[in-house]
Amino acid sequence: MFNSQINQSHSFHNLFTLQKPFLARDLDATHHSSSSAYSPTTILLLPTTTKKFNATHSRSTRPTSAAGKIKAIKNPFLANITKVSGVIHTKSTYLFSVTPSRLLDDAVSFIWTYVLLEFVSKDLDSKGEPKRVKTKAPYDTFGGQYTFEFDVPDDFGEIGAVLVENDYRNKIYIQKIELSDKVTFTCNSWVHSSHDNPQRRIFFADKCYLPSETPEALKSLRKKDLEFIRGTGQGERKAFERIYDYDVYNDLGDPDNKSSDLARPVLGGKKFPYPRRCRTGRKMSSTDPLTETRSSDPFYVPIDEDFSEIKSVSFGARTLYNLLLSVIPRIGTALTGKDEDFLLFEDIDELFDEGVLINGSDKEVASVLPRLIHEVADAADDLIKFDPPETVRRDTFFWLRDDEFSRQMLAGLNPCSLQLVTEWPLISKLDPKVYGPPESAITKEIVEREIKGFMTFDEALAQKKLFMLDYHDLLLPYVSKTRDLEGVTLYGSRTLMFLTPAGTLTPVAIELTRPSSEWQPQWKHVYTPSLGATGSWLWKLAKAHVLSHDSGVHQLVSHWLRTHCAIEPYIIATHRNLSQIHPIARLLHPHFRYTLKINALARQSLINAGGIIESTFSPGKYCMQLCSDAYDLLWRFDHEALPADLISRGMAVEDETAPHGLKLTIEDYPYANDGLILWDAIKQWVTSFVNNYYPKASLVESDEELQAWWNEIRTVGHGDKKDESWWPQLKTQDDLIGIVSTIIWVASGHHSAVNFGQYDFAGYFPNRPTIARTKMPNDDPTDKEWQIFLNRPEDALLKCFPSKKQATIVMAILDVLSTHSTDEEYIGKTVEGPFEAEPAIKKAYEEFRARINEMEVIIDSRNADHNLRNRSGAGLVPYQLLKPFSEAGVTGKGVPNSVSI
């Protein structure tokens, strides 16, 4: 298989003399315990070039050509033997991670540390065993690479796998292993230290195989690797392990904490349906045996899910971890005891003009919030001064306008909740015996009065001109118990909008509802835009309540549930059921990177009892129960693809003559217009990929790994919905294309649309308050309360908004969540190694990349079109959340491959 080339620079001494002899274990096939999943029978060959003590010499003799290609050379002294050279490419940040232990390990590595490699042929020997050969590679501390050589018999055949043992005391991140000009192992994985676990890692060469087509010599490795990944379901997981298993969300509460009410129900099961998470196996609470204990240490994720060192140092989980566990508490302490309310709107502006002083100056704060630390007040303090979001930079008063309120439902942070009104009157599906009369208070007469001059109500309904944010039934069950909490209130809400002839939406009416209870009847009121002073202020307050509802649904449902949470079972099932060399595993791998890590951090400090979400969003401690209800009532896999989502909300209908096969109900719908280009590009790429490996439908049905994968997603990962009739079947290529395209869209396009605009749209919180702290002034007020409102209505709005502490914390969080890493992996940007191994796949990916590049131009041209009023106009932020590429930082654009923040 290798090109024979004689390299005259290799001396006889270098070929046969060992400067450091192989340890017995290096050549002993029984070095690993018999219980190991991999205890191979090894063909022992002559030892090869070995450790160079001089680092400079090691680098200068690295067996690479000027072009960086690795050569296989014929050994002139041994018959029928080819000397193969190779390089292990690692991703390291040694210069950013200098610790005493690291320095000691690196010093020792000059002399003693190796990566041990055992290469496995695709061919069997005469005894029916896989052919194998071992070698070892010394670590180049400064180069971050391992170079090696080994001898291979000419009848060895093509190398198909390698077993890797890391003798270094720290884990290492291997990007790829290259052999000769032809064989590459794309790893993109951490490899644990053998001092933690002697289990060797298996990597397969880049060529993909269906289970039925796997070379005989690799079948046992394929099977055993999957068995190891699944684990036994027992014991507490360790940081160096690579075990993927399922568990319910039983680690959000902290019932053992006696100082506060932090007990929470388990999410997952009949009572609170929910997707499954990655199992950690921590011990159970002494107070509640159904709840797992919590820890201040990072929650376990399989080692491959951890960030590469560059990402963890420059941005990502470590940044968010430090923000949540170090900086946020200091912000809270700095604001404790001070006036909780903003007394004037000028006080809000001070967050950008003067900042917030927090005690204790250190480099950690500056490293976590580099954009926000503008100056140090003195040696003892840090000053956090927020950058004005792009929205308020362009228009200070943008948040007050009704047209902007409606426009953001199409081109803002949560563009996937608006739905077409198809039936009238509006009727609640909740039990009227519990919640009161189900009929909406928004009447035909109210609507007709507001749209007078455009058309009649009947014409508006028939012509599909009425749209709604409907959070009535989702929120109403939580109203009474949320109102029992301190500093927060809640309503069920409906917001009706009208599509004008200009193609823009205008709000028509807002209905707020409080359910009936033992001591008071149901209360509901309809607010409409008003020119009068009192009505105008009530309208502003009603919008603030609706925006707090939309912020909660956005964060809990559109963002967390539909992307982070729903994707986690796909990741677990993929690792447990699809081998590394399965083509679908390799297709999905880029879209799963880092998601489990960021989700674990969310469970630790964001969505947990008393965490950021509960303390800053409505409905407080019931946030995750509401999320469970949304999963139960609203989540359907068959509606997660963008076209299906638009159709299910009445925002589009199928039309073969229209672009993308859909006719949009609102033609100028930026999220849908841009999203459908990306959806089509993803689906075309997946179609080419799937049809290459599955030319016949029978191959889909007979693929046992693939069928086990889809079955486990439905019956375990999303097991609380396993009996739903809407789950797609997996029998044909089209079935597989639809399923995989949906997963990729959710991980890339959908997540980007609801995540990376968070600071721009919600950083100035009056535009999107996360919580409403006070009830409406006309909600059964006392005479004194009503008079206070009449005397100074601005105070009522400021008291309804988040407190200073809540607003500051949320703004800091949103700044980090909206930031792109320096090494962000954007969709269509870089071809994966395994895609290059197959010419047809490489060609299809290049076509995919061309379509993604074209999106950049299309989106720019749309944003420059002044006829598109939902994305262009004075003071408007152009819609570019689905523009594929971005610079590092907060940019309001860029579509990463995966949910990585």
Side-chain angles (χ1 to χ4, degrees):
M1 61 170 277
F2 299 107
N3 297 326
S4 298
Q5 297 183 13
I6 298 178
N7 189 329
Q8 299 298 330
S9 66
H10 286 263
S11 68
F12 185 91
H13 180 273
N14 283 339
L15 290 174
F16 289 97
T17 304
L18 296 178
Q19 293 179 336
K20 169 180 177 287
F22 276 87
L23 301 178
R25 65 169 192 167
D26 295 338
L27 293 178
D28 185 358
T30 63
H31 163 56
H32 299 284
S33 66
S34 59
S35 61
S36 169
Y38 316 118
S39 303
T41 301
T42 306
I43 298 175
L44 302 182
L45 300 177
L46 288 174
T48 63
T49 54
T50 64
K51 184 78 175 183
K52 278 81 174 178
F53 287 93
N54 183 287
T56 304
H57 179 61
S58 175
R59 291 195 300 277
S60 65
T61 58
R62 207 173 277 159
T64 57
S65 69
K69 294 184 178 180
I70 303 162
K71 301 295 183 182
I73 56 176
K74 193 72 175 180
N75 190 323
F77 304 102
L78 298 175
N80 303 318
I81 293 292
T82 298
K83 182 171 291 297
V84 179
S85 301
V87 177
I88 302 174
H89 297 272
T90 66
K91 182 182 285 189
S92 177
T93 54
Y94 172 78
L95 294 178
F96 297 100
S97 307
V98 178
T99 63
S101 63
R102 182 72 176 259
L103 287 171
L104 177 61
D105 282 343
D106 287 334
V108 172
S109 74
F110 274 111
I111 302 175
W112 299 111
T113 302
Y114 290 90
V115 169
L116 306 178
L117 304 168
E118 182 174 47
F119 291 97
V120 182
S121 171
K122 294 180 181 179
D123 298 337
L124 300 173
D125 62 16
S126 58
K127 298 180 180 179
E129 295 291 335
K131 299 177 181 178
R132 303 166 187 264
V133 60
K134 280 187 175 183
T135 187
K136 53 184 179 178
Y139 179 56
D140 179 350
T141 303
F142 295 101
Q145 293 183 341
Y146 298 78
T147 60
F148 57 90
E149 295 175 336
F150 60 101
D151 292 338
V152 177
D154 286 352
D155 63 351
F156 190 75
E158 187 176 355
I159 292 176
V162 59
L163 279 68
V164 178
E165 180 178 334
N166 167 27
D167 198 38
Y168 191 43
R169 289 188 176 273
N170 291 309
K171 63 182 180 181
I172 58 174
Y173 188 86
I174 297 181
Q175 293 177 295
K176 62 182 176 179
I177 301 172
E178 288 185 299
L179 300 180
S180 77
D181 289 326
K182 295 182 179 180
V183 181
T184 300
F185 301 82
T186 299
C187 307
N188 289 322
S189 297
W190 288 102
V191 176
H192 60 265
S193 169
S194 61
H195 298 272
D196 292 326
N197 180 6
Q199 181 71 54
R200 291 178 291 173
R201 278 295 306 272
I202 284 187
F203 295 108
F204 294 94
D206 282 353
K207 183 175 175 58
C208 298
Y209 293 100
L210 299 181
S212 61
E213 299 170 349
T214 307
E216 286 296 325
L218 302 182
K219 283 185 176 180
S220 62
L221 291 180
R222 181 174 188 147
K223 180 180 178 181
K224 290 176 181 178
D225 192 40
L226 285 174
E227 289 174 349
F228 177 75
I229 286 172
R230 293 172 190 145
T232 63
Q234 303 297 317
E236 182 174 356
R237 301 274 63 88
K238 302 297 188 293
F240 56 80
E241 292 182 322
R242 186 170 154 254
I243 306 298
Y244 293 78
D245 202 358
Y246 300 95
D247 207 343
V248 292
Y249 278 72
N250 62 354
D251 62 346
L252 303 182
D254 189 8
D256 289 344
N257 190 322
K258 305 298 183 182
S259 62
S260 57
D261 176 24
L262 295 179
R264 296 292 182 271
V266 173
L267 302 186
K270 187 174 182 180
K271 188 174 182 180
F272 296 104
Y274 215 58
R276 299 304 188 256
R277 64 166 176 92
C278 186
R279 180 183 177 276
T280 60
R282 297 189 304 273
K283 68 178 183 178
M284 308 308 285
S285 161
S286 59
T287 305
D288 179 6
L290 298 178
T291 298
E292 202 170 70
T293 54
R294 296 180 57 77
S295 170
S296 59
D297 295 328
F299 287 5
Y300 165 82
V301 294
I303 191 172
D304 277 353
E305 305 302 325
D306 205 352
F307 283 140
S308 67
E309 290 191 26
I310 288 179
K311 195 172 185 75
S312 66
V313 168
S314 66
F315 189 75
R318 182 176 299 177
T319 304
L320 195 52
Y321 181 85
N322 289 337
L323 174 68
L324 295 174
L325 274 70
S326 176
V327 180
I328 292 300
R330 287 171 58 184
I331 293 174
T333 301
L335 294 172
T336 298
K338 296 185 179 181
D339 194 337
E340 281 286 302
D341 300 331
F342 291 95
L343 299 180
L344 300 168
F345 275 91
E346 288 85 346
D347 295 341
I348 300 174
D349 295 337
E350 286 183 0
L351 293 172
F352 308 105
D353 297 333
E354 297 184 13
V356 177
L357 199 64
I358 63 174
N359 296 330
S361 176
D362 59 41
K363 294 181 179 179
E364 181 181 53
V365 178
S367 67
V368 172
L369 298 173
R371 285 180 1 106
L372 307 185
I373 303 299
H374 288 266
E375 57 185 289
V376 177
D378 57 47
D381 298 306
D382 279 328
L383 184 70
I384 295 180
K385 189 166 69 173
F386 291 94
D387 279 354
E390 187 65 19
T391 44
V392 80
R393 281 181 187 273
R394 290 174 177 249
D395 182 354
T396 304
F397 305 106
F398 79 105
W399 64 280
L400 285 168
R401 299 199 320 269
D402 284 351
D403 64 310
E404 180 65 10
F405 170 82
S406 296
R407 187 189 77 89
Q408 289 184 26
M409 307 306 166
L410 300 171
L413 194 53
N414 187 27
C416 40
S417 287
L418 190 71
Q419 58 184 314
L420 177 70
V421 175
T422 57
E423 296 180 351
W424 199 269
L426 304 174
I427 302 291
S428 170
K429 296 179 181 179
L430 298 174
D431 186 351
K433 295 179 181 178
V434 177
Y435 299 103
E439 296 83 10
S440 171
I442 303 176
T443 64
K444 176 179 177 180
E445 290 73 24
I446 291 175
V447 177
E448 197 146 50
R449 184 184 70 221
E450 295 299 319
I451 65 173
K452 187 177 181 180
F454 290 107
M455 60 184 64
T456 66
F457 170 86
D458 291 335
E459 289 171 336
L461 186 65
Q463 294 178 31
K464 300 182 178 180
K465 302 295 184 182
L466 297 178
F467 297 85
M468 179 172 55
L469 282 184
D470 187 359
Y471 298 143
H472 181 278
D473 286 9
L474 182 63
L475 297 181
L476 202 62
Y478 291 91
V479 170
S480 295
K481 47 191 176 183
T482 296
R483 287 180 166 220
D484 290 337
L485 304 176
E486 184 179 353
V488 61
T489 193
L490 194 64
Y491 294 98
S493 68
R494 295 186 180 99
T495 305
L496 196 67
M497 300 176 211
F498 173 70
L499 182 64
T500 70
T504 59
L505 291 172
T506 186
V508 170
I510 291 173
E511 177 189 34
L512 299 179
T513 303
R514 184 193 68 211
S516 59
S517 65
E518 294 180 2
W519 56 89
Q520 58 186 173
Q522 182 193 69
W523 179 91
K524 61 177 66 173
H525 192 86
V526 177
Y527 302 87
T528 58
S530 174
L531 296 177
T534 302
S536 177
W537 274 104
L538 288 174
W539 175 247
K540 289 182 180 69
L541 281 155
K543 286 200 299 182
H545 278 273
V546 167
L547 287 166
S548 73
H549 301 165
D550 193 54
S551 291
V553 171
H554 159 260
Q555 203 64 261
L556 293 168
V557 182
S558 301
H559 184 197
W560 167 256
L561 174 63
R562 292 182 64 180
T563 62
H564 291 261
C565 185
I567 287 174
E568 186 147 343
Y570 310 153
I571 299 172
I572 300 170
T574 299
H575 284 280
R576 287 170 55 87
N577 295 283
L578 299 182
S579 168
Q580 298 173 47
I581 50 173
H582 197 289
I584 300 302
R586 283 181 163 160
L587 175 60
L588 289 174
H589 180 73
H591 305 286
F592 290 162
R593 286 185 185 130
Y594 311 133
T595 302
L596 291 194
K597 182 70 174 181
I598 213 71
N599 286 3
L601 181 55
R603 298 200 321 274
Q604 189 167 15
S605 301
L606 276 172
I607 64 173
N608 60 300
I612 302 299
I613 297 296
E614 285 194 357
S615 60
T616 58
F617 282 78
S618 301
K621 65 180 287 186
Y622 302 105
C623 279
M624 295 310 294
Q625 287 187 45
L626 185 145
C627 190
S628 169
D629 283 353
Y631 177 69
D632 186 32
L633 297 171
L634 305 175
W635 189 88
R636 296 176 48 153
F637 182 88
D638 64 328
H639 286 176
E640 291 303 289
L642 179 59
D645 170 54
L646 295 171
I647 292 170
S648 71
R649 294 188 282 118
M651 303 303 293
V653 294
E654 292 186 15
D655 184 349
E656 293 182 358
T657 65
H660 317 290
L662 290 181
K663 179 177 176 56
L664 295 178
T665 313
I666 300 177
E667 292 183 7
D668 182 13
Y669 185 0
Y671 165 71
N673 294 129
D674 296 354
L676 285 169
I677 300 176
L678 180 57
W679 166 263
D680 279 359
I682 290 171
K683 190 171 182 181
Q684 289 177 41
W685 154 238
V686 173
T687 298
S688 298
F689 190 96
V690 167
N691 287 336
N692 181 77
Y693 290 103
Y694 295 92
K696 299 183 296 183
S698 59
L699 291 173
V700 175
E701 280 200 274
S702 64
D703 186 335
E704 65 268 21
E705 286 186 7
L706 190 69
Q707 294 298 328
W709 168 76
W710 184 234
N711 181 68
E712 194 168 281
I713 286 173
R714 292 182 295 109
T715 63
V716 184
H718 285 277
D720 295 335
K721 287 181 171 282
K722 65 179 182 296
D723 297 323
E724 299 287 356
S725 59
W726 42 253
W727 283 106
Q729 294 182 320
L730 182 51
K731 294 184 177 181
T732 68
Q733 298 99 319
D734 286 345
D735 296 337
L736 181 56
I737 290 165
I739 290 167
V740 173
S741 298
T742 296
I743 293 173
I744 293 175
W745 158 256
V746 171
S748 56
H750 179 100
H751 178 258
S752 297
V754 299
N755 181 72
F756 290 105
Q758 291 194 82
Y759 190 74
D760 278 345
F761 284 103
Y764 186 73
F765 67 85
N767 182 57
R768 289 188 66 80
T770 58
I771 194 168
R773 296 187 296 141
T774 59
K775 63 186 180 67
M776 289 294 294
N778 65 325
D779 178 0
D780 292 343
T782 65
D783 291 342
K784 182 178 180 181
E785 289 172 338
W786 183 248
Q787 194 59 47
I788 290 174
F789 164 68
L790 292 178
N791 289 341
R792 187 167 168 78
E794 181 179 318
D795 288 349
L797 185 57
L798 288 168
K799 287 181 181 295
C800 184
F801 282 157
S803 68
K804 287 183 178 180
K805 180 177 177 179
Q806 290 169 330
T808 306
I809 288 173
V810 169
M811 290 166 70
I813 293 290
L814 296 185
D815 181 84
V816 172
L817 293 180
S818 302
T819 300
H820 285 294
S821 161
T822 54
D823 66 338
E824 196 78 88
E825 299 169 10
Y826 296 103
I827 192 165
K829 188 73 172 179
T830 306
V831 64
E832 296 285 313
F835 301 162
E836 292 188 295
E838 176 66 51
I841 297 302
K842 183 178 181 180
K843 180 175 182 294
Y845 191 86
E846 291 301 327
E847 293 170 353
F848 172 58
R849 178 155 53 188
R851 287 189 288 270
I852 295 298
N853 288 333
E854 187 181 3
M855 273 191 73
E856 293 268 314
V857 178
I858 293 173
I859 291 174
D860 284 341
S861 65
R862 287 175 173 176
N863 287 331
D865 186 346
H866 297 296
N867 295 316
L868 301 177
R869 298 187 181 184
N870 290 322
R871 63 195 307 155
S872 178
L876 294 186
V877 174
Y879 188 77
Q880 50 185 10
L881 286 171
L882 290 171
K883 197 171 179 181
F885 310 125
S886 172
E887 308 80 33
V890 177
T891 64
K893 61 183 177 181
V895 181
N897 274 323
S898 63
V899 180
S900 58
I901 187 63

